[in-house]
Amino acid sequence: MISFDEEIRKYKKSRDVSEIESEVYEQDMRDLVDIMLQTAKDTAYGVESAPGKRRD
């Protein structure tokens, strides 16, 4: 049988959505669309001559 008193003592509050959102937005993550666009540019122009790529 479940001991509610014991379960309440073991309870840990889950993180708020706002806390999780702030951590996710602080990350500099590229989404799938950014990666696909970059891949398409690299394929169309070749990685060495893609716009924004420096040639040394």
Side-chain angles (χ1 to χ4, degrees), residues 48-50 53-56:
E48 294 301 317
S49 60
K53 300 285 183 181
R54 285 185 30 189
R55 288 184 144 190
D56 292 329

Side-chain angles (χ1 to χ4, degrees):
M1 194 158 179
I2 296 175
S3 171
F4 290 104
D5 292 331
E6 184 177 334
E7 293 299 321
I8 288 176
R9 276 182 283 185
K10 293 191 306 186
Y11 173 77
K12 294 180 182 177
K13 182 180 173 186
S14 64
R15 299 176 76 183
D16 290 332
V17 172
S18 59
E19 291 175 8
I20 295 169
E21 282 180 342
S22 65
E23 286 188 24
V24 168
Y25 288 123
E26 287 174 4
Q27 300 290 324
D28 185 24
M29 296 188 304
R30 295 170 51 187
D31 66 3
L32 184 56
V33 174
D34 291 336
I35 294 169
M36 290 173 54
L37 288 173
Q38 187 62 49
T39 302
K41 286 179 187 176
D42 290 348
T43 302
Y45 296 107
V47 175
E48 294 301 317
S49 60
K53 300 285 183 181
R54 285 185 30 189
R55 288 184 144 190
D56 292 329

